Amino acid sequence: MDYKKRALEIQDQIINNRREIHKNPELHFNLDKTLALVERELKSYGIEPKRVGKAGITALIGSGSPVVLLRGDMDALKMKEEMGLEFSSEIEACHSCGHDGHTSMLLAAGRMLKENEENLKGTVKLMFQPAEEILQGAKDMIENGVLEDPKVDAAFAIHLFPGEEYFKTGSIRIARGQFMSSGDVLVINIKGVQSHGSTPELGVDAIVVASHIVIGLQNILAREISMFDNCVVLVGKITGGATVNTTPGYATIELSARAVNEEKREFILSRIREIARGVAETFRAQVEINHPMGSASLYNNEDLVDDVLEFSKDIVGEENIKVVPMMAGTEDFAYIAQKMPAAMIHLGSGSTDEGYMYGIHSPLMTFNEEVLPIGASLLADLATKYLEKYSK
Ligand SMILES: [Zn+2]
Ligand SMILES: [Zn+2]
């Protein structure tokens, strides 16, 4: 099937689905309206949706092996939209990461693959994922079996990227190997001893301890990580104390850490814990360290990237494909990529030259909807060509 042509024929539907999702953004695992839309659309294409985990949907097209997975995420961010579009969200949530586009592209890819089902040389598994923004959705779906029965052999995902100078609509970029950094959030609770401000010797000042921990953490990047390994340890929030004239009995440090690969990730996380515990012990305080959120770094399988470079020429044109070095930013598709050959592709969806001035996670972000049929046909085409190449 000529997916590029077919996607243009059904582009009104792709855009309408995107706008309906955009107008009703939902957060985390609370995706009732979005899930209902995905199920409604899949059923109307003759595809049987199945719920997986807390708020995921999967569906199969074709039969037999190999099995290739296409993933689209569905959740929005907690922020007030400022785009002022006719289909803008009016609540305190906003599709400023383009996941509305990812969902509508995956739906359209599903529809086209279903129409072409008899020519598929294996199975396509669709994965509509919740809670990417809190880095929990992929894990939840994996734990609930999305990669099994039938067992998935390889996976593809696309992320839209508007608002960059040289990344025009319909061009793609991909890294061979390490693509995106890990991202973790740690919360360090420091327990000191409160005392009257006139008798500090009777207390343990948790704010002073927190300050020493913050300084101590700087040493990880300054002296323990090579200049060639790009990592971040950032204390983004610090709170503590009760009143101006009381020795602070508690303080909390909230920090984010990003690492260039899994080895460095483990190293940084363990050094943060060691430094926090060691400093606290030195100053007679206690610490409790929580790890509420985190995602592995994303690794694109080299052979599969070579396939993407070959397969995607027909849809986006060879001149619009760029192999790039690793980038900052975190993506929980990483958990799928830890289990099998996987490749994430970034799809340009409106450069600054084209008038799209804001990037993802900005409340002003918009993207060029002309990218939607391109992304949909790219997903369908990648899956079809993968099955053709790897069927026995
Ligand atoms: Zn995002
Ligand atoms: Zn995203």
Side-chain angles (χ1 to χ4, degrees):
M1 178 183 263
D2 184 344
Y3 292 117
K4 208 173 165 182
K5 183 161 162 266
R6 183 66 186 135
L8 286 173
E9 287 165 8
I10 62 168
Q11 73 167 326
D12 286 352
Q13 182 184 53
I14 311 178
I15 290 170
N16 288 341
N17 282 337
R18 182 259 162 159
R19 292 185 177 190
E20 190 179 333
I21 298 165
H22 190 92
K23 203 173 171 47
N24 300 289
E26 294 176 297
L27 299 173
H28 314 328
F29 289 102
N30 307 313
L31 305 177
D32 289 349
K33 286 180 187 162
T34 312
L35 292 169
L37 181 145
V38 168
E39 285 176 333
R40 177 195 81 201
E41 289 299 306
L42 289 176
K43 283 178 186 164
S44 78
Y45 314 147
I47 301 170
E48 198 47 54
K50 195 180 120 192
R51 292 277 179 122
V52 178
K54 287 185 206 162
I57 290 176
T58 183
L60 299 173
I61 302 156
S63 63
S65 63
V67 179
V68 62
L69 180 134
L70 300 176
R71 178 274 217 166
D73 39 11
M74 304 182 283
D75 57 320
L77 282 103
K78 193 167 167 47
M79 58 166 65
K80 184 98 183 81
E81 178 170 344
E82 295 170 20
M83 304 164 200
L85 305 165
E86 62 192 81
F87 52 93
S88 276
S89 150
E90 277 150 24
I91 59 172
E92 196 71 25
C94 164
H95 267 293
S96 53
C97 203
H99 298 186
D100 50 344
H102 302 170
T103 305
S104 80
M105 292 190 306
L106 186 58
L107 281 170
R111 175 178 172 175
M112 294 188 288
L113 288 161
K114 187 69 183 172
E115 290 170 354
N116 193 36
E117 190 169 31
E118 60 186 21
N119 296 315
L120 298 179
K121 303 271 188 287
T123 306
V124 181
K125 188 181 276 195
L126 307 180
M127 174 181 173
F128 293 89
Q129 185 205 301
E132 196 286 323
E133 293 295 347
I134 53 170
L135 306 173
Q136 293 175 20
K139 240 180 171 174
D140 180 68
M141 288 188 79
I142 293 169
E143 282 164 11
N144 285 283
V146 73
L147 303 180
E148 304 300 324
D149 192 28
K151 192 169 165 34
V152 178
D153 298 299
F156 296 106
I158 290 178
H159 204 300
L160 298 178
F161 274 89
E164 295 184 27
E165 192 174 359
Y166 298 108
F167 200 27
K168 66 173 186 164
T169 305
S171 56
I172 65 170
R173 70 180 175 212
I174 189 165
R176 196 187 262 112
Q178 205 71 47
F179 194 6
M180 308 200 58
S181 61
S182 64
D184 290 279
V185 171
L186 292 185
V187 178
I188 305 171
N189 292 310
I190 299 142
K191 196 162 166 277
V193 177
Q194 196 166 300
S195 69
H196 191 277
S198 62
T199 53
E201 73 279 12
L202 299 179
V204 173
D205 187 333
I207 286 184
V208 168
V209 177
S211 306
H212 281 283
I213 291 173
V214 172
I215 298 298
L217 293 176
Q218 308 311 310
N219 202 59
I220 302 174
L221 298 185
R223 293 293 180 270
E224 300 180 10
I225 293 283
S226 152
M227 61 186 282
F228 300 107
D229 293 323
N230 302 311
C231 299
V232 176
V233 177
L234 173 77
V235 175
K237 190 175 172 187
I238 181 161
T239 50
T243 58
V244 70
N245 52 5
T246 302
T247 309
Y250 67 90
T252 301
I253 296 168
E254 293 175 54
L255 64 89
S256 55
R258 300 169 192 270
V260 73
N261 58 36
E262 289 306 286
E263 188 199 337
K264 291 289 169 264
R265 179 187 183 208
E266 288 312 316
F267 174 76
I268 285 175
L269 292 178
S270 73
R271 286 298 289 142
I272 291 169
R273 290 190 176 95
E274 285 166 11
I275 289 168
R277 289 202 185 100
V279 170
E281 197 186 340
T282 300
F283 295 109
R284 298 179 293 172
Q286 291 172 320
V287 281
E288 178 200 79
I289 303 165
N290 297 318
H291 187 186
M293 193 165 131
S295 176
S297 56
L298 173 64
Y299 192 86
N300 272 349
N301 178 278
E302 284 96 340
D303 294 337
L304 202 60
V305 170
D306 288 337
D307 288 337
V308 169
L309 300 177
E310 183 61 35
F311 296 165
S312 56
K313 282 181 200 163
D314 293 340
I315 302 291
V316 303
E318 200 170 353
E319 67 284 7
N320 295 317
I321 302 171
K322 208 168 160 194
V323 177
V324 293
M326 185 187 168
M327 307 184 72
T330 306
E331 167 58 67
D332 82 350
F333 184 64
Y335 286 109
I336 295 168
Q338 282 184 329
K339 306 254 177 208
M340 68 184 66
M344 166 149 264
I345 299 153
H346 289 180
L347 178 59
S349 42
S351 65
T352 50
D353 282 351
E354 293 169 322
Y356 296 88
M357 307 312 286
Y358 301 95
I360 55 170
H361 289 211
S362 161
L364 286 161
M365 186 279 271
T366 54
F367 64 80
N368 182 355
E369 287 180 325
E370 285 173 24
V371 79
L372 295 173
I374 300 171
S377 51
L378 183 58
L379 284 169
D381 206 49
L382 285 170
T384 304
K385 286 179 173 153
Y386 176 87
L387 297 179
E388 259 162 34
K389 180 169 177 182
Y390 293 99
S391 67
K392 288 179 189 98

